[in-house]
Each structure stands twice: as structure tokens, then as C-alpha cells.
Amino acid sequence: MLRYLQKKFAISDQGSKDLLKGIILSALENLALMLPVGLFVMLLDELVKPLFGAEYNPPNLIKYIILCVITAGIIFIVHFFQYTSVYVSTYSESSVRRVTLAEKLRKLPLSFFGQRDLSDLTSTIMGDCANMEHVYSHALPQLLGAAISTFIVSIALLITDWRLGLALLWVVPVSLLMLFGSKHIQDKAGLKHLGAKRSCTDAIQECIETVKEIRACNHEKEYISHLNNLFDNEEKVHIKIELITASLLTSSQMFLRLGFASVILVGSNLLVRGQIDFMLYLIFLIGASRIYDPLSGTLPTIVEIFNVRLQIKRMLEIENQPIQNGSEICKPNGYDIAFNSVTFEYNTGETVLKNTTFTAKQGQVTALIGPSGGGKSTAAKLAARFWDVNSGNITLGGIDVATVEPETLLKNYSMVFQDVVLFNDTIMENIRIGRKNATDKEVIEAAKAAQCHGFINEQPDGYNTMVGENGSTLSGGERQRLSIARALLKDAPVILLDEATASLDVDNETQIQEAISELVKGKTVLVIAHRMRTIAGADKIVALENGTVAQQGSPQELMEQGGLYSHMVELQAKSSNWSLGTN
């Protein structure tokens, strides 16, 4: 049972135990709430007996007061434990659920994020988990608890009198069938609503990220009109699904109330025939008024669970994604990076690298060049096991990187990519991410080596200046130099530089190259650049074209061979003479 709950509702082992406990306590709570009805029937029985010829004996008020106190105590105790088990544990489970999803995402290969919308993932972790809180606290335990308590009461009523019991209960399965029969309609509407919400979220995120471009192109009115259309569509879809749900739910609840009428008809007929006594008839009338209330209240929770199943499915999709794993021990024999007949594709049929073979040796700078889309950045990321290759292998010091746990492997790498990521923290802490136990002095030395010290001192609070979200207060070149400082501070044996100097001016680019020259001693350096002057001093150049190695060798060797490298050098030499003008 615990395993079923855990798998069905995407909850932890402890969460399934708490949920089962909450279901049992919810059932006990419903049964406890039937106790006042029992006391009322007992009192009524004593009061009406004289009407049927029995001797009148006044009710013992002390007995009923004691029974009322005991009943109230039982209800309070059961309700207290039910509340603690259901509501308090729900928020603990919600916290566990978010952390579990975040941990899962941390271990997933980057190929997963390339296939999923980031705003959708955020919605799953925040929105879906929040919706699940309400289901765990207000819907699921109450629904299953009501089912258990109703089943127990139904058995007792059928044993007491099967005719009145059937008259009372026949509407229950019919109402449930009406609701469950419409499940596919609600699922279809729910998927459409999720899609409309995702479109709105994506558009808002896009608007925030591209607000400069929108304003620069005078596109505000068109974009706002586009957003309004998306919002209107989401509102219409939401209203439609609410109308569908309300109509189905109301129909089921109305049909459920027909049971009360059938009890009156069947009961009065049996009473007139003398087949039952008045008290039994009265008990079933009271039972009908009591048993339908929790059932009617649980019908909306069934609809809510139908809707949340789509969100549970999204969570399970993340949880069931295969993770990259491997040995937590990595002791390579040196730090040469070797690509051995590597073939890789992001999506089926879209091959990026084909039978690629080359070696980046320790103590040397190996530069990857070639036209855009040739596979340069992909090769660098494969070397750090951001993805796993489709065939062939990549080794670090003779160890296949696919056999090493990613976090263990990445301890050997310092990386600077085109897309710099900075956190809304101080400059000091953004650099210290490279090595968390680094002293302030070590951070400053890394900043100096990356040519950051000058512009940092010009900031209002120096190294304690907050950089804003993703370094919004800094220029592109400043952000990239901080990223380089972070890599320098880590001081890993393997350095990956993907267009690391793309946002720098000529002076800073030269200074960064000097800093990198000091950094690479005894290390493996893999550099990606489009500007040939950036890698003129590289020890080895690997020219990638259409995912294959077109050339490899020293800059001098490749210039003598002709081909792709010399062609790119000549083109950039020509472009350097280009200038703005009317001629």
C-alpha cells in the first residue's frame, strides 16, 4: 500500500506513511462525527417510546451529559491527530518534494534541459508542488477517509436492513460513474489549460529578457498586444475548464441527493406495510442526511485529484529521467584529453560530431576552430561530460569520462564559456565560487590576473559591490573577466575556454592571454575562438568542419598545408581592413 501511494502520487517514503496515517485518521474522524447522531437516536428512542404504548421514563440527563463530553473528547482527539498528521506533514513533504526535484535536476545531463522549457521546469518545482500541497492536505486524505468510513457505515446499514440500505446507497456508484466517466474530458481540458498557462509564462519571461530589444525596435505595442492575446486565451480556457468541471460536478451532486427521496419512498412503503418500525425508518432518514454530506464534499476532491494527476505526471517525468552516474573516484594518469572516434547528436538524426578523433595534451594549448555549427563548443562540453557521446569515447588521463560521476569529474575542470552566469551577490563571492575556501587575498590575486582589479576598485563598494541579477550592473566584458577570474581561482588541471575573450577589447584580450599563458603551465587547455589572432600562440589547432576533423597540427603546419585554417586566417585579415564609409 505504501509503495502504491509513493509511486502513484510522487511522494517520499515518509510522505506515503504520513498520507496513509492521515487517511486512517480521516476515516476515524468521519466515524467519530457519527457519534452525535447515535446519541440523538438514543435520546429520541426514549422520548418516542411512550407514543407506542411503552411506559414513560424520563431520560437520564447526567448519562447523556457524560456521553456528550466523551463524544466531544473523542472527536477533538481524533481531529487533533488528523490535523497534525495531514496538514503539518503536508508542508514537510512539500519541502522534501522541492528539494528532491532540485537534486534530481542537478544530476540530470544537460541534454535534458535542452529538451525542456526552463519556465516549465520552474512551474513544476514551484506551482505544481504548491498545488500538491492542497491535494495532500485537503483532498486525498479526506477522499479516501470518506470512502473507508462510508464503506463501514454502508455495511452496517445493509446488515440492519438491506432494502433501505440499497435505497440509500444505489445513487453512490452511479454518481461516481458519472464523474469518472468524464475523466478523459477533464484531462483533455486540463492539458489545454496547462499549455495556455505555459505560453503566458514563456511570453512574460521572454518580454523581461528582451525588453531592451523590444524598446529599441519600437515593438512595445505589438508585443503587449501579443501578451494580451495570450492572457485572454488563457482566461477563456480557464473559464471553459471551470464550466466543464462545475457542470459535471453539480450533476453528480444533484443525482446523489436522489438517494434521500428513494429512502423516503421505500421506507414509507415498508412502514405502511408494517415490515419496519418507525425508529428504524427514522434512523435511515437521519443516516441519509448524514452520509451524503461527506460524499458530496468529496466529489470536488475527486475532480481536484483528476486535475493534479497531470502535474504528478510532470513530476514523475523528471524523477524517471536517467541520471549520469559513475565512480566517485577519479585518479587519471595525467590530464590528456583524448577524443576517440566520437560521434554525438543532440537529437536523433541531427549529428553534430562524426567519428571525431584528436588529443589535447597536458601542458599545451589546444585550439578548436572552424565555422559556426562545426561542433567546437559541443566538443568542449562533451570533454567535461555535460552530455554523453553516442559512440566512441572521451578519456581524461586514460579514464573514460563516461565512467566517472559528473561532480567528481568536474573537480578537474575550470571553465569559461560565452554565456557568463553571475549571481546576485558581491563581486568577491562571485569570484570565490571557483574555490569556496579561498581567502580574500587569493580572490584578489585571481582578479588581478584576470585584469579585473582595476574596474572592481572603481565600483562603489569595491569587492563588496553587489553585481545585480546575473551581473546586470556590469558590462559584458567585465562579466566575462569575472568569470575568467573564477576559473583562475579554481586552478584546476584542465581549462576549457569557449570564446572566453569574445567580449573584450584588444588591450584586455592581450592582457587576458598573458594571464592564461601563466595559468596553462603543466595544464591541459582547450580553447575555442573564432578570431584567429586569439589562438595564434596555441601549441595545436584542431579545425572542425561539419562535425569532423578537417585539419590538426601547429599553426605553422596548418598555414603551410593550406585548407580551412589558412582560409580563415586570410578572411579575417581581409575583414580587418574593412571600415565604414560611403565608397
Side-chain angles (χ1 to χ4, degrees), residues 260-526:
F260 194 82
S262 64
V263 170
I264 294 175
L265 292 174
V266 174
S268 59
N269 184 42
L270 294 174
L271 185 64
V272 169
R273 293 183 180 183
Q275 297 180 9
I276 59 172
D277 58 33
F278 177 75
M279 280 306 300
L280 182 63
Y281 179 43
L282 187 61
I283 288 172
F284 271 87
L285 286 177
I286 295 173
S289 64
R290 186 69 194 90
I291 200 171
Y292 292 142
D293 283 339
L295 284 175
S296 181
T298 56
L299 290 179
T301 65
I302 294 175
V303 174
E304 186 174 0
I305 292 172
F306 284 167
N307 293 333
V308 87
R309 281 182 66 254
L310 300 173
Q311 295 161 335
I312 292 174
K313 183 180 178 182
R314 281 149 56 96
M315 293 183 189
L316 290 176
E317 283 179 357
I318 296 176
E319 287 195 355
N320 294 333
Q321 288 290 327
I323 64 172
Q324 290 179 313
N325 48 34
S327 173
E328 295 185 359
I329 299 174
C330 182
K331 295 181 179 180
N333 181 20
Y335 293 96
D336 288 357
I337 297 176
F339 279 64
N340 303 304
S341 302
V342 170
T343 297
F344 174 76
E345 54 186 27
Y346 290 107
N347 300 304
T348 303
E350 299 177 8
T351 304
V352 181
L353 293 179
K354 309 171 193 174
N355 198 31
T356 301
T357 299
F358 69 88
T359 300
K361 290 188 174 295
Q362 183 177 355
Q364 293 184 356
V365 175
T366 301
L368 300 180
I369 68 155
S372 297
K376 303 183 300 298
S377 296
T378 298
K381 292 173 182 177
L382 287 174
R385 206 193 172 191
F386 282 12
W387 287 269
D388 285 326
V389 301
N390 297 105
S391 65
N393 65 56
I394 302 171
T395 61
L396 174 67
I399 297 176
D400 189 341
V401 297
T403 64
V404 183
E405 198 275 330
E407 288 190 7
T408 301
L409 179 68
L410 287 174
K411 292 177 182 178
N412 300 297
Y413 292 78
S414 288
M415 291 171 283
V416 179
F417 291 135
Q418 287 174 284
D419 300 323
V420 178
V421 176
L422 297 179
F423 297 91
N424 189 17
D425 205 335
T426 64
I427 292 175
M428 179 74 75
E429 292 306 315
N430 266 286
I431 298 175
R432 206 194 306 271
I433 288 172
R435 180 156 49 92
K436 293 302 292 181
N437 60 351
T439 64
D440 289 356
K441 182 179 179 181
E442 289 171 326
V443 171
I444 293 172
E445 288 301 318
K448 288 179 178 178
Q451 308 301 316
C452 298
H453 190 67
F455 80 79
I456 292 175
N457 284 331
E458 295 174 359
Q459 300 297 315
D461 297 313
Y463 281 85
N464 293 318
T465 301
M466 299 291 290
V467 301
E469 185 177 356
N470 202 23
S472 59
T473 62
L474 304 176
S475 69
E478 290 169 344
R479 289 198 299 269
Q480 200 157 41
R481 276 181 278 173
L482 286 182
S483 181
I484 293 170
R486 184 188 293 169
L488 291 169
L489 181 65
K490 186 174 182 180
D491 195 26
V494 179
I495 312 296
L496 301 181
L497 302 171
D498 186 355
E499 293 292 341
T501 59
S503 298
L504 305 178
D505 56 41
V506 175
D507 290 338
N508 279 325
E509 182 181 4
T510 302
Q511 293 171 339
I512 288 296
Q513 286 176 334
E514 293 174 357
I516 291 174
S517 297
E518 291 296 320
L519 173 69
V520 301
K521 292 180 180 179
K523 298 179 181 179
T524 305
V525 181
L526 201 59

Side-chain angles (χ1 to χ4, degrees), residues 497-565:
L497 302 171
D498 186 355
E499 293 292 341
T501 59
S503 298
L504 305 178
D505 56 41
V506 175
D507 290 338
N508 279 325
E509 182 181 4
T510 302
Q511 293 171 339
I512 288 296
Q513 286 176 334
E514 293 174 357
I516 291 174
S517 297
E518 291 296 320
L519 173 69
V520 301
K521 292 180 180 179
K523 298 179 181 179
T524 305
V525 181
L526 201 59
V527 179
I528 301 167
H530 286 109
R531 291 188 287 188
M532 295 300 99
R533 66 179 299 273
T534 305
I535 43 88
D539 298 288
K540 181 179 180 179
I541 291 178
V542 178
L544 293 174
E545 187 174 22
N546 297 323
T548 61
V549 177
Q551 288 179 297
Q552 58 179 310
S554 68
Q556 295 79 11
E557 291 173 346
L558 297 191
M559 283 300 294
E560 293 173 1
Q561 290 177 12
L564 179 60
Y565 175 68

